[in-house]
Amino acid sequence: MRKFWFLRLFVAIFVFVGSAGGEQAKYIFLMIGDGMGVVQRSAAEQFSRSCGNGQLVMNSLPAHGLTTTHSYQSLVTDSAAAATAIACGLKTANGVISMDYTKKTKLKTLAEIAAERGMRVGIISSVSIDHATPACFYAHQPSRSNYYQIAMELAASDFEYFAGGSLYARINGRVSPLQAARENGFTIVRTRAQLMALTNGCPKVWSYNQSVDYDSALYYEIDRPKDHLSLVELTAKGIDLLDNSDGFFMMVEGGKIDWACHAHDAAAAIRDILAFDKSVAEALEFYQRHPQDTLIVVTADHETGGMTVGSITAGLGFSPQRLSRQNISGLQFSRTEVLRFRDEQIGFEKALPIIQKAFGLDDLSSGELIRLGRAYTLSMIQKSVRSKDEGYRSLYGSYDPLTTTALHILSSRAGIGWTTFSHTASSVATSAIGVGAESFDGYYDNTDIFRKIVSVMKSAQVSVQAQP
């Protein structure tokens, strides 16, 4: 297999694209739950049902398939390679943004093809808009870490709507992407009031959220203040601004699902899946008004965390209601409470009630108290001077020891297990409704998502790259 991967050649082909029945979609929603594996979707649905809210909208769609996610050189992909595969229909190396694996050839994206066909384009994410997944639809860079260059490609874009967190890019005395975007005709809005005041026909909009977390992203849904913009609001307003007789292509990413799963924060991940599902519901409402012209595809770029339901301690049980007791994300807890414990030199016994309240751990066993106490001692030491041997990394990864231990105890109580702090090679679920939705049944690669969407996208031909 390795020999095949490294000897395969790229060849240019000219492909006729159009569904066999001649159906075409004027309105296309591609919705990506970053890191949202099959288990994550299942756990979120069980959590939803335990709260009396029933089935996830994404799980109610009529077409369902399983999708493989490997990158050009690895069974375990990253978001850049996976989003490139979805956006461009080709495998590339991990870390590469919409270029081939040699990092020399730019690949045309679904969004760019849609724009060429006269459709308006919107790119929305709950993380910074220059992060890997959204970037793969408008930028072309050899490295996902080229945040400034990615942001400048956004500023130079003619797409009509960008929305999400702020920029992760650091300006460092260079031209501001915001200023470059204004000069390119973008209206920059920073608040809910400013965004909601815009009307259909506004030529180009960049909703650059002024209220973001420590990583320039929207807050986790579990932490989001009610007056902060949500992913579903950005989606709904995008539909309002993009809607027109020539159609639109919209990519919506639930990006923080991935971040929560990296940190083994099941409650934060599930609440962000539910927030993402509200955006799917918004798209479905639009579909119900335009059923003959709309395609909605819901997928994931990869699975994160190796999440399982059913653990050694919980056996066959799953208790999603345990997760509802957590009232703050692990990230927020570590960035506020843990730092305060350290700065104020608060002892473990005084901190324990705060820990228990944050994660709903009011019935700790003696063994769990010992685990938390050991982790607390580590967290009170500056991160830069902790001894990080293999045992430390297997327990805590790159995360705060106290927070991670509390999250692991809660996961165990709920019946959730984790196998890694990184991504896995697990297949992900893809669901669809609308024009051409039946083609999303079955088992296929993430590059096929590109081909299936292009096959129903308005007009007839597109030149693409393919791998034999």
Side-chain angles (χ1 to χ4, degrees), residues 16-24 435-436 438-439 455-456:
F16 179 83
V17 291
S19 65
E23 294 179 303
Q24 295 186 341
V435 180
E438 63 279 359
S439 72
S455 73
V456 297

Side-chain angles (χ1 to χ4, degrees), residues 76-340:
V76 179
T77 189
D78 81 327
S79 290
T84 296
I86 295 169
C88 306
L90 283 181
K91 297 294 186 183
T92 194
N94 288 348
V96 177
I97 300 290
S98 292
M99 300 182 74
D100 74 344
Y101 76 98
T102 70
K103 305 180 183 181
K104 296 177 181 178
T105 303
K106 295 180 180 180
L107 305 175
K108 189 171 291 186
T109 74
L110 280 170
E112 291 167 336
I113 294 169
E116 287 178 353
R117 299 183 183 192
M119 304 167 75
R120 293 181 182 175
V121 175
I123 308 295
I124 304 168
S125 178
S126 61
V127 299
S128 60
I129 202 66
D130 53 359
H131 221 71
T133 300
C136 284
F137 289 84
Y138 65 84
H140 307 270
Q141 290 292 326
S143 173
R144 61 181 293 173
S145 298
N146 292 352
Y147 291 106
Y148 178 78
Q149 292 83 354
I150 290 169
M152 290 301 287
E153 287 199 63
L154 186 160
S157 171
D158 287 325
F159 294 170
E160 286 79 7
Y161 183 64
F162 290 94
S166 60
L167 291 176
Y168 195 78
R170 301 299 176 254
I171 308 306
N172 297 329
R174 296 173 289 191
V175 175
S176 167
L178 287 171
Q179 182 58 35
R182 288 191 185 95
E183 293 174 359
N184 188 30
F186 276 94
T187 297
I188 310 294
V189 294
R190 297 174 181 266
T191 67
R192 175 186 280 122
Q194 290 173 344
L195 179 61
M196 297 308 166
L198 299 178
T199 58
N200 187 289
C202 188
K204 292 196 292 188
V205 175
W206 183 356
S207 180
Y208 180 96
N209 209 49
Q210 70 176 8
S211 301
V212 292
D213 72 1
Y214 312 95
D215 298 302
S216 304
L218 302 185
Y219 282 86
Y220 281 114
E221 189 66 16
I222 195 173
D223 301 322
R224 183 176 65 83
K226 297 304 180 184
D227 60 342
H228 285 205
L229 277 164
S230 64
L231 186 65
V232 66
E233 289 177 294
L234 297 178
T235 302
K237 192 60 181 180
I239 294 171
D240 178 44
L241 294 174
L242 294 175
D243 192 10
N244 74 106
S245 59
D246 291 324
F248 61 76
F249 171 86
M250 180 184 291
M251 192 289 295
V252 181
E253 184 205 20
K256 298 198 72 170
I257 300 165
D258 171 68
W259 296 8
C261 290
H262 275 294
H264 296 178
D265 192 341
I270 284 173
R271 285 180 172 86
D272 263 56
I273 291 171
L274 298 180
F276 174 69
D277 197 55
K278 289 181 180 178
S279 290
V280 179
E282 198 69 34
L284 187 61
E285 183 179 325
F286 181 89
Y287 160 82
Q288 289 165 348
R289 299 196 303 272
H290 306 275
Q292 304 304 316
D293 300 308
T294 304
L295 171 65
I296 301 171
V297 179
V298 183
T299 191
D301 51 355
H302 52 72
E303 193 277 341
T304 300
M307 186 182 189
T308 62
V309 171
S311 64
I312 293 173
T313 54
L316 298 177
F318 177 46
S319 303
Q321 65 273 15
R322 290 286 313 205
L323 301 175
S324 65
R325 301 183 186 183
Q326 183 178 328
N327 57 45
I328 185 174
S329 71
L331 173 70
Q332 188 76 359
F333 184 83
S334 64
R335 297 287 180 89
T336 55
E337 297 303 319
V338 175
L339 289 181
R340 183 172 68 85

Side-chain angles (χ1 to χ4, degrees), residues 337-356:
E337 297 303 319
V338 175
L339 289 181
R340 183 172 68 85
F341 296 157
R342 186 189 305 152
D343 292 343
E344 298 178 12
Q345 298 183 346
I346 295 173
F348 176 61
E349 289 187 0
K350 186 176 179 180
L352 182 59
I354 300 170
I355 301 166
Q356 290 177 300

Side-chain angles (χ1 to χ4, degrees), residues 374-393:
R374 289 172 177 168
Y376 190 90
T377 300
L378 286 171
S379 291
M380 295 305 103
I381 303 171
Q382 290 292 337
K383 187 175 182 179
S384 60
V385 297
R386 293 177 204 153
S387 175
K388 302 182 184 67
D389 58 15
E390 186 175 345
Y392 178 99
R393 292 192 299 273

Side-chain angles (χ1 to χ4, degrees), residues 408-452:
H408 282 168
I409 291 172
L410 180 59
S411 286
S412 180
R413 294 292 185 87
I416 290 173
W418 303 92
T419 65
T420 179
F421 289 99
S422 188
H423 303 165
T424 71
S426 297
S427 298
V428 299
T430 298
S431 306
I433 189 171
V435 180
E438 63 279 359
S439 72
F440 291 90
D441 285 327
Y443 189 71
Y444 44 86
D445 189 61
N446 55 7
T447 53
D448 292 320
I449 293 175
F450 168 89
R451 296 179 178 87
K452 294 173 190 295

